Amino acid sequence: MTRDQFKALLHLEENLIPPGKKNRPGTPISPGFITIHNTGNTATGADARMHGKFLINSGFYILNGKQHWVSWHYTVDDKRVVKHLPIKEKAFHAVDGNSVSVGVEICMNKGIDQKLAFLNAARLTALLLFDIKALNKDVKKVVPHKHWTGKDCPQLLLDEGNTIGLKWKAFLDIVQRELNSITDVQKRILEMEDDETDALSEKDLKAMQKAAKAHFHEK
């Protein structure tokens, strides 16, 4: 199928973190990798849109009385992909990987169709490989969070003992299959118009901050 037909499968929405917010420093990067995460948040309703609200309304967790800012470029669930940052701006999601990779978070909230969420993530990853010239359509440029920091993430794509094995290979195989289905050669970076967001409830905000702390704090 054409690139535009393929893009339509993602149900892509854009809800960008405001410029100047501490989790959007505006630092330019040249992505050489795509870093895959699981959110670690199993709460009801913790879908892609809620993660977007979290990044805009908060975007930090508190540890030892200090704010630790987090961000990434896309969140994926079983219904849509939400974009939070331009892919050529730095996000805070993988320490050394922050300056060289696009961060993709895959939801794992209660009630999600996880298989479909992984398919959507594989399709987004395939489109990024297609669009970003430096990646050269090379699936080896797709790495897990664990690659950068040793963190047990993406937890649902790691094998027993939190090792990079058959589950990760199966995900990359889906990425390759989806990449092979894009037939045209025109390359364009994913960009959309801004979309407004609603505020999070205090309960949801605290739940998101708790999940972010567990997910991003590198022990």
Side-chain angles (χ1 to χ4, degrees), residues 17-18 21-25 50-62 66-72 84-85 91-93 200 204-213 216:
I17 301 168
K21 191 173 172 66
K22 289 185 178 180
N23 58 344
R24 185 182 176 181
M50 182 175 284
H51 280 82
K53 294 176 185 178
F54 166 68
L55 291 176
I56 290 173
N57 288 281
S58 173
F60 63 85
Y61 62 88
I62 297 176
K66 182 180 178 181
Q67 292 178 343
H68 295 260
W69 294 89
V70 297
S71 55
W72 52 91
H84 314 295
L85 285 173
F92 301 135
H93 61 99
L200 282 174
D204 287 338
L205 177 59
K206 288 182 178 179
M208 295 296 287
Q209 288 179 328
K210 180 179 179 180
K213 178 179 177 180
F216 286 106

Side-chain angles (χ1 to χ4, degrees), residues 32-159:
F33 298 89
I34 301 168
T35 301
I36 304 296
H37 305 255
N38 276 131
T39 64
N41 193 338
T42 59
T44 301
D47 60 6
R49 285 177 173 170
M50 182 175 284
H51 280 82
K53 294 176 185 178
F54 166 68
L55 291 176
I56 290 173
N57 288 281
S58 173
F60 63 85
Y61 62 88
I62 297 176
L63 181 66
N64 297 326
K66 182 180 178 181
Q67 292 178 343
H68 295 260
W69 294 89
V70 297
S71 55
W72 52 91
H73 296 86
Y74 296 92
T75 308
V76 184
D77 61 26
D78 54 347
K79 296 179 177 64
R80 64 186 59 84
V81 174
V82 179
K83 181 176 181 178
H84 314 295
L85 285 173
I87 60 175
K88 292 186 177 181
E89 287 189 24
K90 183 178 181 178
F92 301 135
H93 61 99
V95 190
D96 290 344
N98 294 344
S99 298
V100 292
S101 72
V102 175
V104 176
E105 290 276 358
I106 307 172
C107 292
M108 48 187 288
N109 50 291
K110 184 177 180 181
I112 196 173
D113 183 333
Q114 197 66 60
K115 184 176 181 180
L116 184 53
F118 283 135
L119 175 59
N120 288 342
R123 285 173 169 167
L124 169 63
T125 303
L127 194 56
L128 290 169
L129 288 171
F130 185 86
D131 279 350
I132 302 173
K133 186 176 181 180
L135 299 183
N136 198 32
K137 299 183 181 179
D138 185 358
V139 176
K140 293 180 181 178
K141 299 293 186 180
V142 183
V143 297
H145 181 181
K146 187 179 180 72
H147 170 83
W148 301 110
T149 70
K151 187 82 173 183
D152 297 335
C153 177
Q155 64 196 84
L156 299 183
L157 291 174
L158 298 178
D159 286 357

